[in-house]
Amino acid sequence: MPPASSNTTPAPTQSDLFGMPVVEPAAPQAPLHIARVQLEGAAAMALDYAIPESLAGKVVVGSRVTVPLQNRRTEAVVLELLDHSSHRGRLKEIATLVTRRPMFTPGLLRLARWIADYYLVSVHTVLRTMLPQAVRDKPGSFVMDSHLKLLREPPPDEFEKLHHKAPMQARILDILRSYHGEATLSQIRRDVPRAATILKPLLKAGWITRSEVRVERDPFHDEAFLPSQALTLTAEQQAAYTRVSAAIDSTETTRPLLLHGITGSGKTEVYLQAIARVLERGKTALVLVPEIALTPQTIERFKARFSDRSERIAVLHSHLSDGERHDEWFKIHEDRADIVIGARSAIFAPLERLGIIIVDEEHEPSFKQDETPRYHARDVAVVRGSIEKCVVLLGSATPSLESFENATSGKYELLQLMHRTDGRTLPLIRIVDMRMERRKGTGTSVANAGILSEKLRAAITARLEKKEQTILFLNRRGFNTSLACLACGETVQCQDCSIPMTLHKHENRLVCHVCGSRRLPPTKCPFCHEPGLKFAGFGTERVETVVREVFPHARIARVDTDTIQRKNQLRDLLRDFRAQKLDLIIGTQMIAKGLDFPNVTLVGVLNADLALNLPDFRAAERTLQLLVQVAGRAGRGEVKGEVVVQTYAPHSPAVQFSRHNDFEGFAQQELEQRRAFHYPPYTHVVLLASRGKHQAMAEFALQTLHRRLLEGLPEDVLMGEPAPCAMAKAHGQFRFQLLLRAAKIRPLCRHIQQVFQATTLPADVIVTWDVDPVSLL
């Protein structure tokens, strides 16, 4: 994947896989005295400022500075240095430098311009996204502490007197001894709360010294990681590692590598050994994982493997506190981190000397940002790898069809792991037709009907008897998923969103899972006022109730966003499960992928059809990926695993191909359909969406854009008609969408930009665009 445009925008020489221009960085220049900066805040524009003599040589590309703007100061980022400016008149001078080191590397600035160009957003918006808010708002807001050092101990007789006359001073000296002569004031305060005042005589006597130090807010300060050693690779792993290693050692830019490995085939071990190779060469590594649930386990594996440099592993994800995120970012910024692990936004970590970028579970939709700028971290990783000239390794048991097609067409290089490590076999997958199950009348109790099939209940019973563990998966929260009137058939919906409200029984409230609004369940139908209301459907809360009823002696836990509220709660629960303090966990997709529990021998998928019939061309692909990932949690130990998939559509290709773990067979069939109907990966998609409180205005705005887009529309573009979104109303706003498809993205984006610049939209309507969306809902 090619780099983005440079600071001096030289002529493009070729195009990248996304149809964007490839340019090379400008040659080094002599020190310049004018800076072109990108203003932050409301006045998001690029302006020229003079560099004062006091900051000469200190202001560089990527520096964050403060500049005068009218009668105030605002912050800005230096985009480039110039020897002259087109501005007529005397330039104002840069006021201050925010940090000595530039906050954006030249590579990140080039990446920002590529993102702005490709996703049709401003550079200012991208730069704000790249910098965590905790860093942007309070750069350098570190926690300071006093470092105390024992210089010499008092003579025994004086120490004895000190014990009698000033026992707290003697206690401080004892504590310093226990810490081998050095400790922080906060450590001593645990035993001596008034230590700051008490230690003054000790300083005066010259027995101890005091200096100010910076304290890292480490999210893993209270954890210990047992060192681990590299494992012996299988033949398949060795072949994959050899190719990755050759790419790391190469001086040429290599194609992105796609590691297609079935669940349990040892992809993580290949990652670990590849990173070890990168570190040996004095370079750094960036690892992206899609789910917060995967982060603790990933960190544990990396801290254990690289225990000799565990303090040089940084973490970036949304569950960190602002202080932890601030300190972890500056740890990377100050070149005190060799490995960065994080979720989507970690792709912008200010690492230098990048040797490898690893995107684990690259198919996951959570890598796509759902607000402006709507970037896809996997695609941005590929572009950053080209800019930084480092290896990009994408890994998945079920690659996205876009990546798989890139690999089969030669744009990426395909590496495969088709066998589990240690000779372990894939779990046996059984399909249960729930239509037949209902006809047989199993699960006759009202609470149990349609939730646990006879086959699944028997399998759970067998696991409990053998002291083995079970995972039950259902990607839907709550107790009942709808409340309908038996008289008129209407469903109780959210007033602000066009979806049924879900019953959460523990709080006796109907909850909207889109906007979060809550209300008491009505006793009469809101439409016909008849009393006959019936709850239908089931979520994880109801499943937990049923399982506890059927297996009263089992140790059970539920994992979803309703139960996981406090920090580290998920990490602690998964550790309890690994330690076999729990027999069974029920969860949503938080537990569906990447987790490795050797004692789990049974996985039950309670409703495999949830995503199958959504109005999205990726519905079948998403269903297969989820089923394969969930099934992969079983049989990762010595005992062969079993998966029970309950479905009302047993003959669906997604269900049948997942049953046989035949991703390539599914991909071949699905890609034929995508090609026939001009869908990705054979075209690029842009989704235009309008929303507003007034339905007619939101629809009118999109219809207007549709008419204007038709004028001068590039020949290869396929454009549909404006239509209501699948969820026609959300958060009190009516929603409409328009889908455009084109083989080449650049001409389409240019046309869309021109139309938007020439169109005035109603003030109360918001129109957004999403380049390469992962969801059409």
Side-chain angles (χ1 to χ4, degrees):
M1 207 52 66
S5 55
S6 71
N7 294 336
T8 55
T9 59
T13 57
Q14 54 181 321
S15 296
D16 66 12
L17 293 181
F18 296 96
M20 303 301 285
V22 177
V23 291
E24 293 300 323
Q29 303 178 19
L32 304 174
H33 61 278
I34 296 173
R36 179 157 294 161
V37 305
Q38 176 68 55
L39 299 180
E40 298 181 3
M45 62 183 77
L47 296 176
D48 293 347
Y49 283 84
I51 301 174
E53 290 187 11
S54 60
L55 296 178
K58 299 177 183 178
V59 173
V60 297
V61 172
S63 292
R64 200 156 177 251
V65 296
T66 60
V67 295
L69 182 67
Q70 295 178 344
N71 59 349
R72 60 186 175 87
R73 287 186 179 183
T74 187
E75 293 180 338
V77 177
V78 177
L79 297 179
E80 54 186 319
L81 301 180
L82 309 168
D83 56 4
H84 69 279
S85 171
S86 58
H87 175 75
R88 296 178 181 177
R90 188 170 178 272
L91 292 175
K92 293 183 179 180
E93 291 187 342
I94 290 174
T96 62
L97 191 62
V98 176
T99 56
R100 286 183 298 174
R101 291 173 63 95
M103 300 190 83
F104 297 92
T105 65
L108 283 176
L109 284 179
R110 293 175 63 198
L111 183 65
R113 291 186 171 188
W114 184 91
I115 292 172
D117 213 17
Y118 188 83
Y119 292 103
L120 301 178
V121 294
S122 67
V123 173
H124 160 258
T125 301
V126 180
L127 292 177
R128 283 184 63 85
T129 301
M130 284 183 163
L131 210 58
Q133 186 171 351
V135 175
R136 191 170 62 244
D137 293 346
K138 296 180 179 179
S141 59
F142 300 102
V143 174
M144 304 302 293
D145 200 354
S146 294
H147 178 260
L148 305 178
K149 184 175 182 179
L150 183 62
L151 286 182
R152 60 185 181 87
E153 295 190 19
D157 56 334
E158 290 190 41
F159 196 70
E160 186 67 26
K161 292 178 182 178
L162 200 62
H163 265 290
H164 291 291
K165 293 183 177 180
M168 287 296 99
Q169 292 180 25
R171 177 61 182 150
I172 290 174
L173 295 176
D174 287 334
I175 294 171
L176 281 170
R177 283 176 175 174
S178 69
Y179 281 107
H180 306 289
E182 295 186 41
T184 62
L185 184 58
S186 59
Q187 288 173 317
I188 293 176
R189 277 178 172 157
R190 296 172 189 169
D191 286 332
V192 186
R194 295 177 58 249
T197 303
I198 295 170
L199 59 79
K200 289 181 180 179
L202 302 177
L203 292 167
K204 188 174 181 180
W207 292 336
I208 64 174
T209 60
R210 176 177 179 173
S211 58
E212 293 300 303
V213 295
R214 198 168 84 191
V215 179
E216 294 284 335
R217 288 163 284 196
D218 182 2
F220 302 97
H221 65 91
D222 57 346
E223 296 188 49
F225 299 94
L226 298 177
S228 69
Q229 300 299 318
L231 303 177
T232 302
L233 300 178
T234 65
E236 284 185 327
Q237 286 176 309
Q238 185 62 52
Y241 169 73
T242 299
R243 181 63 196 96
V244 175
S245 182
I248 292 169
D249 295 340
S250 175
T251 57
E252 303 294 327
T253 302
T254 61
R255 291 177 293 169
L257 305 172
L258 176 63
L259 182 59
H260 175 207
I262 64 172
T263 56
S265 61
K267 295 185 291 295
T268 301
E269 186 62 29
V270 175
Y271 300 158
L272 289 166
Q273 296 200 24
I275 289 175
R277 181 80 171 187
V278 165
L279 298 181
E280 287 172 4
R281 294 178 60 83
K283 296 186 177 181
T284 58
L286 174 58
V287 182
L288 301 184
V289 292
E291 298 283 347
I292 298 300
L294 297 186
T295 309
Q297 179 172 278
T298 304
I299 292 164
E300 183 177 346
R301 287 177 174 174
F302 278 72
K303 290 259 188 184
R305 179 62 57 86
F306 302 105
S307 56
D308 58 332
R309 59 171 80 205
S310 63
E311 74 283 351
R312 294 188 65 83
I313 296 176
V315 180
L316 290 174
H317 60 75
S318 61
H319 280 204
L320 299 179
S321 68
D322 285 347
E324 289 169 343
R325 193 178 295 113
H326 174 279
D327 289 1
E328 290 291 285
W329 190 91
F330 271 97
K331 182 178 181 179
I332 304 165
H333 176 251
E334 294 169 355
D335 201 18
R336 294 185 290 112
D338 300 322
I339 302 171
V340 174
I341 303 168
R344 178 177 61 233
S345 61
I347 187 59
F348 303 126
L351 277 170
E352 299 187 30
R353 308 184 315 282
L354 258 175
I356 192 169
I357 301 174
I358 295 171
V359 184
D360 193 25
E361 310 293 359
E362 64 85 29
H363 67 278
E364 275 296 310
S366 60
F367 280 126
K368 175 75 170 178
Q369 175 90 343
D370 58 5
E371 58 186 27
T372 305
R374 290 176 168 81
Y375 67 91
H376 198 301
R378 176 199 62 216
D379 296 341
V380 172
V382 171
V383 175
R384 185 173 184 185
S386 178
I387 292 173
E388 307 275 4
K389 294 183 170 32
C390 72
V391 175
V392 177
L393 179 59
L394 314 177
S396 175
T398 53
S400 65
L401 292 184
E402 288 84 353
S403 293
F404 192 72
E405 173 63 16
N406 279 338
T408 54
S409 66
K411 293 177 181 177
Y412 294 175
E413 185 172 347
L414 181 63
L415 312 175
Q416 292 187 303
L417 303 176
M418 294 292 101
H419 299 88
R420 282 190 160 185
T421 57
D422 298 333
R424 295 168 185 159
T425 58
L426 287 167
L428 175 65
I429 300 179
R430 303 182 188 276
I431 306 297
V432 177
D433 187 343
M434 294 302 289
R435 299 171 302 176
M436 300 299 295
E437 196 75 12
R438 281 185 174 274
R439 289 172 190 165
K440 289 190 299 184
T442 56
T444 53
S445 75
V446 174
N448 194 14
I451 296 179
L452 295 180
S453 64
E454 185 178 359
K455 186 172 291 184
L456 182 54
R457 289 203 308 276
I460 295 173
T461 301
R463 266 52 185 197
L464 292 173
E465 291 173 353
K466 296 176 184 178
K467 307 297 183 184
E468 296 169 2
Q469 293 172 294
T470 299
I471 292 176
L472 296 182
F473 170 78
L474 176 66
N475 205 22
R476 179 170 283 170
R477 297 183 290 128
F479 193 85
N480 295 112
T481 55
S482 65
L483 177 60
C485 175
L486 296 177
C488 69
E490 291 287 347
T491 301
V492 178
Q493 293 195 341
C494 173
Q495 294 180 348
D496 294 325
C497 309
S498 55
I499 64 165
M501 300 192 78
T502 300
L503 175 68
H504 285 242
K505 193 171 183 178
H506 72 285
E507 57 178 304
N508 190 33
R509 290 291 187 276
L510 293 176
V511 179
C512 174
H513 286 175
V514 173
C515 69
S517 65
R518 284 167 161 75
R519 58 178 291 192
L520 284 168
T523 56
K524 295 181 180 180
C525 175
F527 303 96
C528 68
H529 307 293
E530 290 292 324
L533 294 174
K534 181 182 179 181
F535 286 103
F538 60 92
T540 50
E541 185 184 8
R542 186 177 176 195
V543 172
E544 180 185 16
T545 302
V546 168
V547 173
R548 290 188 184 278
E549 175 187 309
V550 178
F551 305 104
H553 302 296
R555 298 168 297 174
I556 299 166
R558 174 160 57 99
V559 181
D560 56 32
T561 53
D562 295 323
T563 59
I564 305 300
Q565 298 289 339
R566 61 176 175 82
K567 185 180 179 182
N568 297 330
Q569 186 178 357
L570 176 60
R571 180 197 67 187
D572 296 342
L573 189 147
L574 294 178
R575 284 182 178 175
D576 287 346
F577 191 59
R578 176 181 287 275
Q580 300 181 31
K581 296 178 182 179
L582 296 168
D583 300 314
L584 185 150
I585 58 174
I586 303 155
T588 57
Q589 65 180 18
M590 295 172 73
I591 61 167
K593 53 190 82 73
L595 302 176
D596 189 349
F597 301 110
N599 198 45
V600 172
T601 58
L602 175 65
V603 169
V605 181
L606 300 185
N607 190 344
D609 313 322
L610 280 180
L612 196 55
N613 298 314
L614 294 175
D616 192 318
F617 68 89
R618 289 192 177 92
E621 179 186 1
R622 292 275 182 263
T623 299
L624 175 123
Q625 289 169 339
L626 199 54
L627 289 176
V628 171
Q629 292 289 338
V630 174
R633 301 316 104 212
R636 299 175 78 95
E638 301 299 326
V639 181
K640 183 178 176 65
E642 180 182 2
V643 181
V644 177
V645 178
Q646 299 182 168
T647 175
Y648 289 91
H651 302 298
S652 162
V655 173
Q656 287 299 320
F657 279 112
S658 65
R659 177 184 185 182
H660 300 290
N661 201 50
D662 185 6
F663 171 79
E664 292 191 10
F666 172 82
Q668 181 179 356
Q669 175 178 301
E670 185 72 9
L671 285 171
E672 287 177 3
Q673 295 183 21
R674 298 275 185 94
R675 189 193 299 271
F677 291 99
H678 305 287
Y679 279 110
Y682 303 106
T683 59
H684 287 276
V685 171
V686 177
L687 184 67
L688 299 184
S690 65
R691 66 180 191 269
K693 291 186 177 181
H694 303 289
Q695 183 175 359
M697 292 300 292
E699 185 176 15
F700 172 76
L702 205 58
Q703 288 174 341
T704 301
L705 285 171
H706 177 259
R707 287 195 305 271
R708 297 192 175 185
L709 285 168
L710 283 172
E711 302 171 8
L713 190 69
E715 290 184 0
D716 70 329
V717 175
L718 298 173
M719 182 167 63
E721 295 288 331
C725 295
M727 188 186 303
K729 188 179 181 184
H731 299 279
Q733 295 183 318
F734 294 92
R735 305 164 72 238
F736 294 85
Q737 65 183 27
L738 174 63
L739 194 68
L740 299 96
R741 289 168 285 163
K744 296 181 179 179
I745 188 65
R746 186 57 181 158
L748 175 57
C749 288
R750 188 161 47 237
H751 181 61
I752 290 173
Q753 271 188 321
Q754 291 171 351
V755 170
F756 267 88
Q757 290 171 357
T759 303
T760 301
L761 296 169
D764 58 348
V765 175
I766 297 173
V767 176
T768 60
W769 51 89
D770 190 354
V771 179
D772 297 336
V774 298
S775 174
L776 303 185
L777 303 180

